[in-house]
Coordinates of all heavy atoms in Angstrom, one line a residue:
M1 N 21.1 -64.8 -29.7 CA 21.1 -65.2 -31.1 C 21.8 -64.2 -32.0 O 22.6 -64.6 -32.8 CB 19.6 -65.3 -31.6 CG 19.5 -65.9 -33.0 SD 17.8 -65.8 -33.6 CE 18.1 -64.8 -35.1
G2 N 21.6 -63.0 -31.7 CA 22.4 -62.0 -32.5 C 22.6 -60.7 -31.7 O 21.7 -60.3 -30.9
V3 N 23.7 -60.1 -31.9 CA 24.0 -58.8 -31.2 C 23.6 -57.7 -32.1 O 24.0 -57.6 -33.2 CB 25.5 -58.8 -30.8 CG1 25.8 -57.4 -30.2 CG2 25.9 -59.9 -29.9
C4 N 22.8 -56.8 -31.5 CA 22.4 -55.6 -32.3 C 23.6 -54.7 -32.6 O 24.4 -54.3 -31.8 CB 21.4 -54.8 -31.4 SG 20.9 -53.2 -32.2
E5 N 23.7 -54.4 -33.9 CA 24.9 -53.6 -34.3 C 24.7 -52.1 -34.0 O 25.7 -51.4 -34.1 CB 25.2 -53.8 -35.8 CG 24.2 -53.2 -36.7 CD 24.7 -53.4 -38.2 OE1 24.9 -54.5 -38.6 OE2 24.7 -52.3 -38.9
S6 N 23.5 -51.8 -33.6 CA 23.3 -50.4 -33.2 C 23.6 -50.1 -31.8 O 24.3 -49.2 -31.4 CB 21.8 -50.0 -33.6 OG 21.7 -48.6 -33.7
C7 N 23.0 -50.9 -30.9 CA 23.2 -50.7 -29.4 C 24.0 -51.8 -28.7 O 24.3 -51.6 -27.5 CB 21.8 -50.5 -28.8 SG 20.9 -52.1 -28.6
G8 N 24.3 -52.9 -29.4 CA 25.1 -53.9 -28.8 C 24.3 -54.9 -27.9 O 24.9 -55.8 -27.3
N9 N 23.0 -54.8 -27.9 CA 22.2 -55.7 -27.1 C 22.2 -57.1 -27.7 O 22.0 -57.3 -28.9 CB 20.8 -55.2 -27.0 CG 19.9 -56.0 -26.1 OD1 20.4 -56.7 -25.2 ND2 18.6 -56.0 -26.4
D10 N 22.5 -58.1 -26.9 CA 22.4 -59.5 -27.3 C 21.0 -60.0 -27.0 O 20.7 -60.3 -25.9 CB 23.5 -60.3 -26.6 CG 23.7 -61.7 -27.2 OD1 22.9 -62.1 -28.1 OD2 24.7 -62.4 -26.8
Y11 N 20.2 -60.2 -28.1 CA 18.8 -60.5 -27.9 C 18.4 -61.7 -28.7 O 18.8 -61.8 -29.8 CB 18.0 -59.2 -28.4 CG 16.5 -59.2 -28.1 CD1 16.0 -59.7 -26.9 CD2 15.7 -58.7 -29.1 CE1 14.6 -59.7 -26.7 CE2 14.3 -58.7 -28.9 CZ 13.8 -59.2 -27.7 OH 12.4 -59.1 -27.5
D12 N 17.6 -62.6 -28.0 CA 17.2 -63.8 -28.7 C 16.2 -63.6 -29.8 O 16.0 -64.5 -30.7 CB 16.8 -64.9 -27.7 CG 15.5 -64.5 -27.0 OD1 15.1 -63.3 -27.1 OD2 14.8 -65.3 -26.4
K13 N 15.6 -62.4 -29.9 CA 14.6 -62.2 -30.9 C 15.2 -61.1 -31.9 O 14.4 -60.4 -32.6 CB 13.3 -61.7 -30.4 CG 12.6 -62.8 -29.6 CD 11.3 -62.3 -29.1 CE 10.6 -63.5 -28.3 NZ 11.4 -63.9 -27.1
S14 N 16.5 -61.0 -32.0 CA 17.0 -60.1 -33.0 C 16.7 -60.5 -34.4 O 16.4 -61.7 -34.6 CB 18.6 -60.0 -32.8 OG 19.1 -61.3 -33.0
F15 N 16.8 -59.6 -35.3 CA 16.5 -59.9 -36.7 C 17.5 -59.3 -37.6 O 18.3 -58.5 -37.2 CB 15.1 -59.5 -37.1 CG 14.8 -58.0 -36.8 CD1 15.1 -57.1 -37.9 CD2 14.4 -57.5 -35.6 CE1 14.9 -55.7 -37.7 CE2 14.2 -56.1 -35.4 CZ 14.5 -55.3 -36.4
E16 N 17.4 -59.8 -38.9 CA 18.4 -59.4 -39.8 C 17.8 -58.5 -40.9 O 16.7 -58.8 -41.4 CB 18.9 -60.7 -40.5 CG 20.3 -60.7 -41.0 CD 20.7 -62.0 -41.7 OE1 19.8 -62.9 -41.7 OE2 21.8 -62.1 -42.1
V17 N 18.5 -57.5 -41.3 CA 18.0 -56.7 -42.4 C 19.1 -56.7 -43.4 O 20.3 -56.4 -43.1 CB 17.7 -55.2 -42.0 CG1 17.3 -54.3 -43.1 CG2 16.7 -55.2 -40.9
I18 N 18.8 -56.9 -44.7 CA 19.8 -57.0 -45.7 C 19.6 -55.7 -46.6 O 18.6 -55.5 -47.2 CB 19.7 -58.3 -46.6 CG1 20.0 -59.5 -45.6 CG2 20.7 -58.2 -47.7 CD1 19.7 -60.8 -46.2
V19 N 20.6 -54.9 -46.7 CA 20.6 -53.7 -47.5 C 21.8 -53.8 -48.5 O 22.9 -54.0 -48.1 CB 20.8 -52.5 -46.6 CG1 20.8 -51.2 -47.5 CG2 19.7 -52.4 -45.6
A20 N 21.4 -53.8 -49.8 CA 22.4 -53.9 -50.9 C 23.3 -55.1 -50.7 O 24.5 -55.0 -50.9 CB 23.2 -52.6 -50.9
G21 N 22.7 -56.2 -50.3 CA 23.5 -57.4 -50.1 C 24.3 -57.6 -48.8 O 24.9 -58.6 -48.6
V22 N 24.2 -56.5 -48.0 CA 25.0 -56.6 -46.7 C 24.0 -56.8 -45.6 O 23.0 -56.1 -45.5 CB 25.7 -55.2 -46.5 CG1 26.5 -55.3 -45.2 CG2 26.7 -55.0 -47.7
S23 N 24.3 -57.8 -44.8 CA 23.4 -58.1 -43.7 C 23.7 -57.3 -42.4 O 24.9 -57.1 -42.0 CB 23.6 -59.6 -43.3 OG 23.2 -59.9 -42.1
H24 N 22.6 -56.8 -41.8 CA 22.7 -56.1 -40.5 C 21.8 -56.7 -39.5 O 20.7 -57.2 -39.8 CB 22.3 -54.6 -40.8 CG 23.0 -53.9 -41.8 ND1 24.1 -53.1 -41.5 CD2 22.9 -53.8 -43.1 CE1 24.6 -52.6 -42.6 NE2 23.9 -53.0 -43.6
T25 N 22.3 -56.8 -38.3 CA 21.5 -57.5 -37.2 C 21.1 -56.4 -36.2 O 21.9 -55.6 -35.7 CB 22.3 -58.5 -36.5 OG1 22.8 -59.5 -37.5 CG2 21.5 -59.3 -35.4
F26 N 19.8 -56.5 -35.8 CA 19.2 -55.5 -34.9 C 18.3 -56.2 -33.9 O 17.8 -57.2 -34.1 CB 18.4 -54.4 -35.6 CG 19.2 -53.6 -36.6 CD1 19.1 -53.9 -37.9 CD2 20.1 -52.7 -36.2 CE1 19.8 -53.2 -38.9 CE2 20.9 -52.0 -37.1 CZ 20.7 -52.2 -38.4
D27 N 18.2 -55.6 -32.7 CA 17.3 -56.1 -31.7 C 15.9 -55.4 -31.7 O 15.0 -55.9 -31.1 CB 17.9 -56.0 -30.3 CG 18.1 -54.5 -29.9 OD1 18.1 -53.7 -30.7 OD2 18.2 -54.3 -28.7
S28 N 15.8 -54.3 -32.5 CA 14.5 -53.6 -32.5 C 14.5 -52.8 -33.8 O 15.5 -52.5 -34.4 CB 14.4 -52.7 -31.3 OG 15.4 -51.7 -31.4
F29 N 13.3 -52.5 -34.2 CA 13.1 -51.6 -35.4 C 13.7 -50.2 -35.1 O 14.2 -49.6 -36.0 CB 11.7 -51.5 -35.8 CG 11.2 -52.7 -36.5 CD1 10.4 -53.7 -35.9 CD2 11.5 -52.9 -37.9 CE1 10.0 -54.8 -36.6 CE2 11.1 -54.1 -38.5 CZ 10.3 -55.0 -37.9
E30 N 13.6 -49.8 -33.9 CA 14.2 -48.5 -33.6 C 15.7 -48.4 -33.9 O 16.2 -47.5 -34.4 CB 13.9 -48.2 -32.1 CG 14.3 -46.8 -31.7 CD 14.0 -46.4 -30.3 OE1 13.4 -47.3 -29.6 OE2 14.3 -45.3 -29.9
C31 N 16.4 -49.5 -33.5 CA 17.8 -49.6 -33.8 C 18.1 -49.7 -35.3 O 19.0 -49.1 -35.8 CB 18.4 -50.7 -33.0 SG 18.6 -50.5 -31.2
A32 N 17.2 -50.4 -36.0 CA 17.4 -50.5 -37.4 C 17.2 -49.2 -38.1 O 17.9 -48.8 -39.0 CB 16.4 -51.6 -37.9
I33 N 16.2 -48.5 -37.6 CA 15.9 -47.1 -38.2 C 17.1 -46.2 -37.9 O 17.6 -45.5 -38.8 CB 14.6 -46.5 -37.6 CG1 13.4 -47.3 -38.2 CG2 14.5 -45.0 -37.9 CD1 12.1 -47.1 -37.4
H34 N 17.6 -46.3 -36.7 CA 18.7 -45.4 -36.3 C 19.9 -45.7 -37.2 O 20.6 -44.7 -37.7 CB 19.1 -45.7 -34.9 CG 20.2 -44.9 -34.4 ND1 20.1 -43.6 -34.1 CD2 21.5 -45.3 -34.2 CE1 21.3 -43.1 -33.7 NE2 22.2 -44.1 -33.7
A35 N 20.1 -46.9 -37.6 CA 21.3 -47.3 -38.3 C 21.1 -47.2 -39.8 O 22.0 -46.8 -40.6 CB 21.8 -48.7 -38.0
L36 N 19.9 -47.5 -40.3 CA 19.7 -47.6 -41.8 C 18.9 -46.6 -42.4 O 19.0 -46.3 -43.6 CB 19.1 -49.0 -42.1 CG 19.9 -50.2 -41.6 CD1 19.1 -51.5 -42.0 CD2 21.3 -50.3 -42.3
A37 N 17.9 -46.0 -41.7 CA 17.0 -45.0 -42.4 C 17.8 -43.8 -42.9 O 18.6 -43.3 -42.2 CB 15.9 -44.6 -41.4
P38 N 17.4 -43.4 -44.1 CA 18.1 -42.1 -44.6 C 17.6 -40.9 -43.8 O 16.5 -40.9 -43.3 CB 17.7 -42.1 -46.0 CG 16.4 -42.9 -46.1 CD 16.5 -43.9 -45.0
G39 N 18.4 -39.9 -43.7 CA 18.1 -38.7 -43.0 C 17.6 -37.7 -44.1 O 18.0 -37.6 -45.2
C40 N 16.6 -36.9 -43.6 CA 16.1 -35.8 -44.5 C 17.2 -34.8 -44.8 O 17.9 -34.4 -43.8 CB 14.9 -35.1 -43.8 SG 14.4 -33.6 -44.7
D41 N 17.4 -34.5 -46.0 CA 18.5 -33.6 -46.4 C 18.3 -32.2 -45.8 O 19.3 -31.5 -45.7 CB 18.6 -33.6 -47.9 CG 20.0 -33.0 -48.3 OD1 21.0 -33.7 -48.1 OD2 20.0 -31.8 -48.8
H42 N 17.1 -31.8 -45.5 CA 16.8 -30.5 -45.1 C 16.8 -30.4 -43.5 O 17.5 -29.6 -43.0 CB 15.5 -30.0 -45.6 CG 15.2 -28.6 -45.2 ND1 15.9 -27.5 -45.8 CD2 14.3 -28.1 -44.3 CE1 15.4 -26.4 -45.2 NE2 14.5 -26.7 -44.3
C43 N 16.0 -31.2 -42.9 CA 15.9 -31.1 -41.4 C 16.6 -32.2 -40.6 O 16.8 -32.0 -39.4 CB 14.4 -31.0 -41.0 SG 13.6 -32.6 -41.1
G44 N 17.1 -33.2 -41.3 CA 17.9 -34.2 -40.7 C 17.1 -35.3 -40.0 O 17.7 -36.2 -39.5
C45 N 15.8 -35.3 -40.0 CA 15.1 -36.3 -39.3 C 15.1 -37.6 -40.1 O 15.3 -37.6 -41.3 CB 13.6 -35.9 -39.0 SG 12.5 -35.9 -40.4
K46 N 14.9 -38.7 -39.4 CA 15.0 -40.0 -40.1 C 13.7 -40.2 -40.9 O 12.6 -40.0 -40.5 CB 15.0 -41.1 -39.0 CG 16.4 -41.2 -38.3 CD 17.5 -41.6 -39.3 CE 18.8 -41.7 -38.5 NZ 19.9 -42.0 -39.5
V47 N 13.9 -40.6 -42.2 CA 12.8 -40.8 -43.1 C 12.4 -42.3 -43.0 O 13.1 -43.2 -43.5 CB 13.2 -40.5 -44.5 CG1 12.0 -40.7 -45.5 CG2 13.6 -39.0 -44.6
I48 N 11.3 -42.6 -42.3 CA 10.9 -44.0 -42.1 C 9.7 -44.3 -42.9 O 9.2 -45.5 -42.9 CB 10.7 -44.3 -40.6 CG1 9.7 -43.4 -40.0 CG2 12.0 -44.2 -39.9 CD1 9.3 -43.9 -38.6
G49 N 9.1 -43.3 -43.6 CA 8.0 -43.6 -44.5 C 8.6 -43.6 -45.9 O 9.7 -43.9 -46.1
H50 N 7.7 -43.3 -46.9 CA 8.2 -43.2 -48.2 C 9.1 -42.0 -48.5 O 10.0 -42.1 -49.3 CB 7.0 -43.1 -49.2 CG 6.2 -44.4 -49.3 ND1 5.1 -44.6 -48.7 CD2 6.5 -45.6 -50.0 CE1 4.6 -45.8 -48.9 NE2 5.5 -46.4 -49.7
G51 N 8.8 -40.9 -47.8 CA 9.6 -39.8 -47.9 C 9.4 -39.1 -49.3 O 8.5 -39.5 -50.0
V52 N 10.2 -38.1 -49.6 CA 10.1 -37.5 -50.9 C 11.5 -37.5 -51.5 O 12.4 -37.1 -50.8 CB 9.6 -36.0 -50.7 CG1 9.6 -35.3 -52.1 CG2 8.2 -36.0 -50.1
E53 N 11.6 -38.0 -52.7 CA 12.9 -38.0 -53.4 C 12.9 -37.1 -54.6 O 12.0 -37.2 -55.4 CB 13.2 -39.5 -53.7 CG 14.7 -39.6 -54.0 CD 15.1 -41.1 -54.3 OE1 14.3 -42.0 -53.9 OE2 16.1 -41.3 -54.9
G54 N 13.9 -36.3 -54.7 CA 14.1 -35.5 -55.9 C 15.5 -35.3 -56.2 O 16.3 -35.0 -55.3
D55 N 15.9 -35.5 -57.4 CA 17.3 -35.3 -57.8 C 18.2 -36.2 -57.0 O 19.4 -35.8 -56.7 CB 17.7 -33.8 -57.7 CG 16.9 -33.0 -58.7 OD1 16.5 -33.5 -59.7 OD2 16.8 -31.8 -58.4
G56 N 17.7 -37.4 -56.6 CA 18.6 -38.3 -55.8 C 18.7 -38.0 -54.4 O 19.5 -38.6 -53.7
I57 N 18.0 -36.9 -53.9 CA 18.1 -36.5 -52.5 C 16.8 -36.8 -51.8 O 15.8 -36.6 -52.4 CB 18.5 -35.0 -52.4 CG1 19.8 -34.7 -53.1 CG2 18.5 -34.6 -51.0 CD1 20.0 -33.2 -53.3
I58 N 16.9 -37.3 -50.6 CA 15.7 -37.7 -49.9 C 15.3 -36.7 -48.8 O 16.1 -36.2 -48.1 CB 15.9 -39.1 -49.2 CG1 16.0 -40.2 -50.3 CG2 14.7 -39.4 -48.3 CD1 16.3 -41.6 -49.8
Y59 N 14.0 -36.4 -48.8 CA 13.5 -35.5 -47.8 C 12.3 -36.2 -47.1 O 11.7 -37.1 -47.6 CB 12.9 -34.2 -48.5 CG 13.9 -33.5 -49.3 CD1 14.0 -33.7 -50.7 CD2 14.8 -32.6 -48.7 CE1 15.0 -33.0 -51.4 CE2 15.8 -31.9 -49.4 CZ 15.8 -32.1 -50.8 OH 16.8 -31.5 -51.6
C60 N 12.0 -35.7 -45.9 CA 11.0 -36.4 -45.1 C 9.6 -35.9 -45.6 O 8.6 -36.7 -45.4 CB 11.1 -36.0 -43.6 SG 10.9 -34.3 -43.2
C61 N 9.5 -34.8 -46.1 CA 8.2 -34.3 -46.6 C 8.4 -33.3 -47.7 O 9.5 -32.8 -47.9 CB 7.4 -33.7 -45.4 SG 8.3 -32.2 -44.7
A62 N 7.3 -32.9 -48.4 CA 7.3 -32.0 -49.5 C 7.8 -30.6 -49.0 O 8.4 -29.9 -49.8 CB 5.9 -31.9 -50.2
N63 N 7.4 -30.3 -47.8 CA 7.8 -28.9 -47.3 C 9.3 -28.8 -47.2 O 9.9 -27.8 -47.6 CB 7.2 -28.7 -45.9 CG 7.3 -27.3 -45.5 OD1 7.1 -26.3 -46.2 ND2 7.8 -27.1 -44.3
C64 N 10.0 -29.8 -46.7 CA 11.4 -29.8 -46.7 C 12.0 -29.8 -48.1 O 13.0 -29.0 -48.3 CB 12.0 -31.0 -45.9 SG 11.9 -30.8 -44.1
A65 N 11.5 -30.5 -49.0 CA 11.9 -30.5 -50.4 C 11.8 -29.2 -51.0 O 12.7 -28.7 -51.6 CB 11.2 -31.6 -51.2
K66 N 10.7 -28.6 -50.7 CA 10.4 -27.2 -51.3 C 11.4 -26.2 -50.7 O 11.9 -25.4 -51.5 CB 9.0 -26.8 -50.9 CG 8.3 -25.9 -51.9 CD 6.9 -25.5 -51.4 CE 6.0 -26.7 -51.4 NZ 4.7 -26.4 -50.8
Q67 N 11.7 -26.3 -49.4 CA 12.6 -25.3 -48.8 C 14.0 -25.5 -49.3 O 14.9 -24.6 -49.2 CB 12.5 -25.4 -47.3 CG 11.3 -24.8 -46.7 CD 11.3 -24.8 -45.2 OE1 12.2 -24.4 -44.6 NE2 10.2 -25.3 -44.6
S68 N 14.3 -26.7 -49.9 CA 15.6 -26.9 -50.4 C 15.6 -26.7 -51.9 O 16.5 -27.0 -52.6 CB 16.0 -28.4 -50.2 OG 16.2 -28.5 -48.8
G69 N 14.5 -26.1 -52.4 CA 14.5 -25.7 -53.8 C 13.9 -26.6 -54.8 O 13.9 -26.5 -56.0
L70 N 13.2 -27.7 -54.3 CA 12.6 -28.7 -55.1 C 11.1 -28.3 -55.2 O 10.4 -28.5 -54.2 CB 12.8 -30.1 -54.6 CG 12.6 -31.2 -55.5 CD1 13.8 -31.3 -56.5 CD2 12.6 -32.5 -54.8
N71 N 10.7 -27.8 -56.3 CA 9.3 -27.3 -56.3 C 8.3 -28.2 -56.9 O 7.1 -28.0 -56.9 CB 9.3 -26.0 -57.1 CG 10.0 -24.9 -56.4 OD1 9.8 -24.7 -55.2 ND2 11.0 -24.2 -57.0
K72 N 8.7 -29.4 -57.4 CA 7.8 -30.2 -58.2 C 7.0 -31.1 -57.3 O 6.0 -31.7 -57.7 CB 8.6 -31.1 -59.2 CG 9.1 -30.3 -60.4 CD 10.1 -31.1 -61.2 CE 11.4 -31.2 -60.5 NZ 12.4 -31.9 -61.3
V73 N 7.3 -31.2 -56.0 CA 6.7 -32.2 -55.1 C 5.6 -31.5 -54.2 O 5.7 -30.4 -54.0 CB 7.7 -32.9 -54.2 CG1 8.6 -33.8 -55.1 CG2 8.5 -32.0 -53.4
R74 N 4.7 -32.4 -53.8 CA 3.7 -31.9 -52.8 C 3.3 -33.1 -52.0 O 3.3 -34.2 -52.4 CB 2.5 -31.3 -53.5 CG 1.9 -32.1 -54.6 CD 0.7 -31.4 -55.3 NE 1.1 -30.2 -55.9 CZ 0.3 -29.1 -56.1 NH1 -0.9 -29.2 -55.5 NH2 0.6 -28.1 -56.7
D75 N 2.9 -32.8 -50.8 CA 2.5 -33.8 -49.8 C 1.1 -34.4 -50.2 O 0.9 -35.6 -50.0 CB 2.4 -33.2 -48.4 CG 3.7 -33.4 -47.6 OD1 4.4 -34.4 -48.0 OD2 4.0 -32.6 -46.8
R76 N 0.2 -33.6 -50.6 CA -1.1 -34.1 -50.8 C -1.4 -34.2 -52.3 O -0.9 -33.5 -53.2 CB -2.1 -33.1 -50.2 CG -2.0 -33.0 -48.7 CD -2.8 -31.9 -48.2 NE -2.5 -31.6 -46.8 CZ -3.0 -32.3 -45.8 NH1 -3.9 -33.2 -46.0 NH2 -2.7 -32.0 -44.6
A77 N -2.3 -35.1 -52.6 CA -2.8 -35.3 -53.9 C -3.6 -34.1 -54.3 O -4.1 -33.4 -53.5 CB -3.6 -36.6 -54.1
E78 N -3.8 -33.9 -55.6 CA -4.6 -32.9 -56.1 C -6.0 -33.1 -55.6 O -6.5 -34.2 -55.5 CB -4.7 -32.9 -57.7 CG -3.4 -32.6 -58.4 CD -3.1 -31.1 -58.3 OE1 -4.0 -30.3 -58.0 OE2 -1.9 -30.7 -58.6
P79 N -6.7 -32.0 -55.2 CA -8.1 -32.1 -54.8 C -8.9 -32.7 -55.9 O -8.6 -32.4 -57.1 CB -8.5 -30.7 -54.4 CG -7.5 -29.8 -55.1 CD -6.3 -30.6 -55.2
P80 N -9.9 -33.5 -55.6 CA -10.7 -34.1 -56.7 C -11.4 -33.0 -57.4 O -11.9 -32.1 -56.9 CB -11.6 -35.0 -56.0 CG -11.7 -34.6 -54.5 CD -10.3 -34.0 -54.3
R81 N -11.4 -33.1 -58.7 CA -12.1 -32.2 -59.6 C -13.6 -32.4 -59.5 O -14.1 -33.5 -59.3 CB -11.6 -32.3 -61.0 CG -10.2 -31.9 -61.3 CD -9.8 -32.3 -62.7 NE -8.3 -32.3 -62.8 CZ -7.6 -31.2 -62.9 NH1 -8.1 -30.0 -62.9 NH2 -6.3 -31.3 -63.0
A82 N -14.3 -31.3 -59.6 CA -15.7 -31.3 -59.5 C -16.2 -32.2 -60.7 O -15.8 -32.0 -61.8 CB -16.3 -29.9 -59.6
A83 N -17.1 -33.1 -60.4 CA -17.5 -34.0 -61.4 C -18.4 -33.3 -62.4 O -19.3 -32.5 -62.0 CB -18.3 -35.2 -60.8
T84 N -18.1 -33.4 -63.6 CA -18.9 -32.8 -64.6 C -19.9 -33.8 -65.2 O -19.5 -34.8 -65.7 CB -18.1 -32.2 -65.8 OG1 -17.1 -33.2 -66.2 CG2 -17.3 -31.0 -65.3
A85 N -21.2 -33.4 -65.0 CA -22.2 -34.4 -65.4 C -22.6 -34.2 -66.8 O -22.3 -33.2 -67.5 CB -23.5 -34.2 -64.5
Ligands
ZN1 ZN1 19.6 -52.3 -30.6
ZN2 ZN1 12.7 -32.8 -43.3

């Protein structure tokens, strides 16, 4: 049905991903991630979750963002404040 543009596999269950109006065909999510997922600007790993974005640059986690000088982000939410009764 479609040839994976990442590995070239011709697979009947291939699927299409449209990015910015451009269609891409893959045989697996792994191939789609390989081709389309942004890389962390600090460590280079593929960002397949939400990631952390600052100043238009994408990082895989707050630690990488911090090491690149972005101090405003953090991985975890603020701890819940003690309830004042
Ligand atoms: Zn593939
Ligand atoms: Zn990273």
Side-chain angles (χ1 to χ4, degrees):
M1 188 188 120
V3 176
C4 174
E5 70 174 54
S6 199
C7 71
N9 184 27
D10 191 350
Y11 186 41
D12 64 346
K13 292 181 182 64
S14 63
F15 57 93
E16 208 182 1
V17 178
I18 296 171
V19 179
V22 181
S23 162
H24 301 268
T25 303
F26 301 104
D27 65 340
S28 68
F29 282 103
E30 186 176 1
C31 286
I33 289 164
H34 179 75
L36 300 178
C40 171
D41 196 70
H42 183 73
C43 72
C45 74
K46 290 293 184 185
V47 180
I48 59 172
H50 289 100
V52 175
E53 195 176 343
D55 297 333
I57 300 168
I58 292 178
Y59 302 98
C60 67
C61 63
N63 190 48
C64 277
K66 208 180 296 173
Q67 287 185 50
S68 292
L70 201 71
N71 292 311
K72 286 168 286 185
V73 296
R74 51 179 64 210
D75 267 332
R76 294 170 192 278
E78 292 285 345
R81 292 174 197 281
T84 47

